[in-house]
Amino acid sequence: MGTARAGTAPGRLWRHGGPRRWPACAAAVLLAVAGCAAQPPAPGSTRDDLLRAWGPPTGRYVLPQGGERLEYATGPYGRTTWMHDLGADGRVLRSRQVLGEAEFAQVQAAGDMSADELLRWLGRPGEVRGIARPPALVWSWRYPTNDCLWFEVTVTREGRTAGAGYGIDPRCDPPNERD
């Protein structure tokens, strides 16, 4: 921080309006961020209300009992995926953030399920990679944690789950000089 020179108005030493404008800029940024974090819709809200507040979903799944589940994933590096269940009448039944250890424990306890069931449960994975033995895919989801872990599920060529657990997120691996 500098001091004003003779003939220079205070605040003119900083670009873009100086210290008087930064609180207004910070407030604008906070409002923009808050606007992006839509609140879960209340049960009974309409499908149109949900779409107006959240925008287009990243996935749609038909529920076994009728109705649909709308997925709102935050992308490959995002750590949240919201699932909004709608009844056959198009009204919200429930909403939940599915990327968390409680949901993962239920996936592990469920054991064998189809890839479609897994997608309907957790939404699209953040990353999919192949493994050679046995030939399969590993689907991985980042989630809110202070550890550098992600949740991984092995999906066979037949489209069935064959195991689930936690692994180290490769984004957290320190650089290796031998690589």
Side-chain angles (χ1 to χ4, degrees):
M1 313 280 160
T3 57
R5 295 185 306 265
T8 304
R12 298 283 299 175
L13 294 177
W14 293 3
R15 290 185 168 190
H16 308 294
R20 285 183 245 154
R21 286 202 48 208
W22 108 254
C25 292
V29 168
L30 288 175
L31 286 173
V33 170
C36 295
Q39 294 296 315
S45 299
T46 67
R47 185 178 199 281
D48 289 341
D49 293 338
L50 173 64
L51 293 175
R52 202 171 10 265
W54 287 67
T58 55
R60 287 187 167 100
Y61 308 98
V62 175
L63 294 174
Q65 67 275 16
E68 68 179 329
R69 177 169 290 158
L70 300 182
E71 165 196 299
Y72 287 86
T74 55
Y77 297 109
R79 294 173 174 237
T80 59
T81 295
W82 280 87
M83 295 291 197
H84 305 291
D85 293 351
L86 289 86
D89 63 355
R91 295 202 172 268
V92 174
L93 300 172
R94 72 178 180 149
S95 297
R96 69 190 199 291
Q97 199 289 105
V98 296
L99 299 186
E101 292 176 359
E103 295 285 335
F104 300 154
Q106 291 180 40
V107 168
Q108 289 175 308
D112 179 48
M113 68 175 73
S114 72
D116 288 340
E117 291 170 307
L118 181 59
L119 280 173
R120 190 170 52 241
W121 196 321
L122 296 178
R124 65 182 180 167
E127 183 177 303
V128 175
R129 68 183 186 285
I131 56 174
R133 293 187 188 188
L137 296 174
V138 176
W139 294 6
S140 305
W141 291 265
R142 291 178 174 86
Y143 67 101
T145 178
N146 289 330
D147 299 318
C148 202
L149 299 175
W150 61 3
F151 185 68
E152 299 178 304
V153 178
T154 302
V155 179
T156 67
R157 289 195 303 186
E158 294 77 29
R160 306 295 301 177
T161 61
Y166 296 90
I168 302 295
D169 184 338
R171 290 190 319 147
C172 299
D173 284 344
N176 186 339
E177 292 181 18
R178 294 179 291 183
D179 288 342

